[in-house]
Amino acid sequence: MIIVKDLKRCYGTGDTAVRALKGVSFEINKGEFVAIMGASGSGKTTLLRILALLDDATGGEYTIRGLKVSSLPEAERSYYRLTQVGYIFQDYALISEMSAAENVYLLSMMEGKSKKESYKTALEALEKVGLKGKHDRVPDELSGGEKQRVAIARAIAKKPDILFADEPCANLDTTNSKQVLDVFKELNEKYGQTIVMVTHEPWHTDYVDRVITFKDGSLLSDEKKMKE
Amino acid sequence: MINDIRVGALIAYCSVKRGNKKTLIFIVFVLSLIFMNLVFLPSMIGGLSGLFTGFMQDYPYGDIVIEPMGDNTYINNADNVLKKVRAVEGVRAGTKRLDVGASINHKQKVVGVTITGMLPTEEYEISRYPYIISEGDFLSDLSRDEIIIGAMIAGTGFGSEIYDNLGEVRPGAFVDVTYSNGVKRTYKVKGIMEGTFEVVDLNALVHYKEIEDVYGLEGKEATSVVVRVDEQGTEAQIQDKIREAGVNEQIFTWADKSESLIRQAMQSMGAIDIMSKIVSLIVGAALVLIIIYINVLNRKKEIGILKAVGITPRSIVLSYAFLSTFYVSLGISAGLVLYLSLMFYFQANPVTFYETMEISPTIDPVLLIQSVVTMLTLSVIAGILPAWSVSRESILKAIWGR
Ligand SMILES: Nc1ncnc2c1ncn2[C@@H]1O[C@H](COP(=O)(O)OP(=O)(O)OP(=O)(O)O)[C@@H](O)[C@H]1O
Ligand SMILES: [Mg+2]
């Protein structure tokens, strides 16, 4: 589903240039739940942003379902971001002036769905992440885990091909982390959602099918885990 | 595009609904003051020019004034003109006048004046001259050796300090008049007129026959024929009718006259007005720019996030356009309320000018609409600019600052 070939990303130029990704290649199949691990500064975030079309690679190639997205013009990339990929930020990145439902249905409206339909989609997505009945709350009235689950709802409401999450539990305690990971797991198992998640915590790998480890901008290891 | 508008509206709506209300009130308050500033001075100036126009109608020009053609000093057959004019439907009254230059002499003091020769009984229907006699009486049909002088030259009224005057002339006193053709006459002062308007109070009035006599005219000439109409607002139509009736002299409505007059008188006022307008518009636009700019900077990250999740930059810019339109509309509405209450206050309690001239401001709908439109356009542009510039930044830069 995702094919990454010799992907490179270099920040800056000349003497101060940082080679954050030094040419990585891998494939991710439909329905996989992948964890990306590695030391701080190893290039995980850099990779994820490129995969989610938030940033451009400086070299290499990147295709989603056969479409070479690395060379799309910005308008199409924007549409792709809206309709095909979900991105979950470490700090939730919700719009603070919008309720949980509004945060989610904004995107459906952008896609051109009617208000009613958008609202329905939003409530469904919120229900999927276990936030039934909390759709009217604004982010300030939600716990960290709940906020992150709103963010997940926002990302999955559009039924994306792939869901990217950059350290989604970094700001959460164990209980909240578990709730979020459970949601991921359920999405993956019940709906076959492909998920790529960056994480530092070894125990998170219990939830995933595959662990890719980075070191200094290169692939260190890539191990599939047996499903229980 | 429809989706952009819907999403932009939703973003703007949420940010108003859940945004800081105190900030909103403050913004609206300041914008309302800016709007006030934009329309208040022009209204006062409008009131002032309305006042002058009123004077022009009440004294020298009436509703319609007929003046000699070309270089002629006189309308040659004024009686004939009057006959035609009076026959026109919608004309209430008409009279002829003779304006001449002269100097008045009293106890070694001399002032130059315009003396208007008029038919006293007819003036009651035409002008306010008969009604502004502050001391003594107005002329009568038999007043051949009598004169009415303006309060400013008599030295009794307001403004006497500014202009040369005869030093407290009272009714009953005798003054010597030397006309522009050298003829001298002595008149008894019958009354002092005080119109609190220079054009009036610096003049003198005598009987029409006097001027005729002094200048050797034959009973038909006039320097102007002054006309009053039945219904205000019909001046232009009646002007045409008079022309059609065969009057071959210059015919002006009071509006024609005051236009050039007011234009001169108001030129300096107008310059101040335009400057204050430009300044308040710039201040207003700058304020909206700053407000939205701060807002945009505060929400730079949010803008990046919106873009990251797939919201088009166009919807983001639109949301700020809606937001500033909303602020400005509220500001303008509040400004209008403020403005109208001030207008009603000043109309009930006019500002006195020149001690006796009362100015009540006029509400000019065209001016109001103009101001609303300019303020809206400018502010919306000022609101869009910062949002537009931030929405063009890369997502990474907007969210993570680099
Ligand atoms: N915008 C940038 N400009 C310059 N260098 C950058 C930028 N972003 C990241 N880097 C550098 O690129 C390298 C990889 O960064 P990246 O954020 O991908 O690491 P990471 O694996 O996500 O680390 P962490 O686990 O701490 O989040 C680091 O050396 C980092 O300093
Ligand atoms: Mg990182």
Side-chain angles (χ1 to χ4, degrees), chain A residues 9-12 16-21 36-49 55 90 166-167 198-200 214 216-217, chain B residues 396 400-402:
Chain A
R9 177 65 163 99
C10 192
Y11 292 106
T16 55
V18 179
R19 288 171 64 209
L21 288 180
I36 294 180
M37 303 196 60
S40 184
S42 54
K44 307 181 296 290
T45 297
T46 305
L47 173 75
L48 216 62
R49 287 180 191 166
D55 191 14
Q90 180 177 322
D166 191 0
E167 303 193 40
V198 170
T199 180
H200 273 296
F214 272 75
D216 293 337
Chain B
L396 289 191
W400 292 287
R402 54 177 194 168

Side-chain angles (χ1 to χ4, degrees), chain B residues 214-236:
Chain B
V214 167
Y215 285 81
L217 306 173
E218 290 140 23
K220 287 186 201 144
E221 291 87 343
T223 50
S224 66
V225 166
V226 180
V227 182
R228 284 291 201 169
V229 297
D230 282 327
E231 218 177 306
Q232 292 290 311
T234 59
E235 294 87 350

Side-chain angles (χ1 to χ4, degrees), chain A residues 49 54-55 81-82 89 91 93 95-99 102 106-107 109-110 112-113 115 138 154 158, chain B residues 3-4 6-7 10-11 14-15 18 299 301-302 305-312 315 395-396 400:
Chain A
R49 287 180 191 166
L54 302 181
D55 191 14
R81 274 202 293 276
L82 175 67
F89 299 78
D91 57 357
I95 307 302
S96 57
E97 285 145 354
M98 293 185 161
S99 69
E102 284 161 347
L106 185 66
L107 296 190
M109 273 178 74
M110 191 80 245
K113 289 191 186 152
K115 205 172 164 182
V138 289
R154 175 174 69 184
K158 56 191 162 191
Chain B
N3 294 334
D4 292 331
R6 289 198 312 160
V7 169
L10 179 65
I11 297 172
C14 289
S15 106
R18 302 219 178 76
R299 302 174 31 152
K301 187 173 172 194
E302 227 165 78
I305 291 165
L306 286 170
K307 270 178 76 179
V309 297
I311 303 298
T312 56
S315 349
I395 293 172
L396 289 191
W400 292 287

Side-chain angles (χ1 to χ4, degrees), chain B residues 112-169:
Chain B
V113 293
T114 301
I115 296 187
T116 303
M118 53 177 54
L119 294 165
T121 41
E122 289 185 359
E123 286 294 335
Y124 283 88
E125 284 287 292
I126 299 288
S127 68
R128 293 197 31 80
Y129 285 118
Y131 308 101
I132 54 162
I133 306 301
S134 59
E135 292 175 56
D137 296 302
F138 189 59
L139 299 172
S140 72
D141 268 345
L142 301 170
S143 299
R144 285 301 301 268
D145 45 10
E146 291 174 319
I147 189 168
I148 302 282
I149 56 179
M152 285 185 191
I153 46 174
T156 57
F158 173 76
S160 302
E161 335 50 277
I162 308 172
Y163 300 101
D164 287 342
N165 64 69
L166 299 174
E168 294 223 18
V169 172

